[in-house]
Amino acid sequence: MPPIQDKYFETRPGLETFRYLISYTFLTWLAKRAAKREHRLFTEVTSNIDRHILSEGLFEKGVITLLADVIRRSGHRGLWLDIGANIGNHSVALAGLFEKGAAVEPHPVLFKVLTANILRNNLGHVECHNFGLANETAQATLAEPIDNHSIARVKERSQLPPETFGLSSEQFANEYA
């Protein structure tokens, strides 16, 4: 049985404490940076997209800048559709350019994060929808890797094998009906 002093502490003295202090300091620094940004998004550090957002503020900043420029030049500002919105990166970044927006995300967990990000950024003119788009009415299974919600595929109908993503079928272990 471990001594009482080791049993009730978050971290044990030594290397574990050092690791904790470094990671806590780094995450605190990232959080302070994120709090100053124009767009604020709930993220998860296991996802490629989310890590990029934590680091840079938005995912695909160059694409968003290009889209914003095209939108401004076109003069079309009525309705924004974000199909496959994920956690709402593009919706949050571009919604201010439109009178109304709609974000569609079939993933049940990401849909909840998308909705939270729309609310957090006070985008009342953006509606969130939790369904997938297809050319038929059907039920399907959305599969994703355990450690990365940036990649998902429709298990029964995907035209791309898991190897396309550098993964095996077994690595797509999180499944949602």
Side-chain angles (χ1 to χ4, degrees), residues 20-153:
Y20 168 80
L21 289 173
I22 288 174
S23 64
Y24 184 83
T25 302
F26 178 68
L27 291 172
T28 301
W29 176 75
L30 275 179
K32 286 180 180 178
R33 269 183 68 199
K36 295 176 186 176
R37 295 182 175 141
E38 176 185 1
H39 308 294
R40 297 183 67 196
L41 298 164
F42 292 104
T43 59
E44 180 182 330
V45 295
T46 60
S47 162
N48 293 339
I49 290 174
D50 294 17
R51 282 194 305 268
H52 200 93
I53 292 168
L54 282 170
S55 172
E56 302 299 318
L58 288 170
F59 180 66
E60 296 183 333
K61 272 185 170 180
V63 172
I64 289 171
T65 302
L66 174 66
L67 287 172
D69 190 44
V70 169
I71 291 161
R72 285 186 193 97
R73 290 173 190 245
S74 74
H76 296 288
R77 306 270 185 100
L79 176 64
W80 163 258
L81 297 175
D82 188 355
I83 308 300
N86 199 284
I87 65 168
N89 178 74
H90 290 62
S91 290
V92 168
L94 297 170
L97 298 173
F98 292 90
E99 295 168 22
K100 188 174 181 179
V104 178
E105 176 53 52
H107 190 297
V109 176
L110 296 183
F111 173 74
K112 290 181 186 300
V113 178
L114 164 67
T115 303
N117 284 330
I118 295 299
L119 289 170
R120 183 179 205 181
N121 288 278
N122 299 314
L123 299 173
H125 66 293
V126 177
E127 294 180 16
C128 298
H129 303 278
N130 187 213
F131 55 80
L133 299 173
N135 61 356
E136 62 182 324
T137 301
Q139 294 293 318
T141 306
L142 196 62
E144 69 177 0
I146 291 172
D147 61 349
N148 189 353
H149 69 249
S150 304
I151 303 170
R153 59 192 295 270

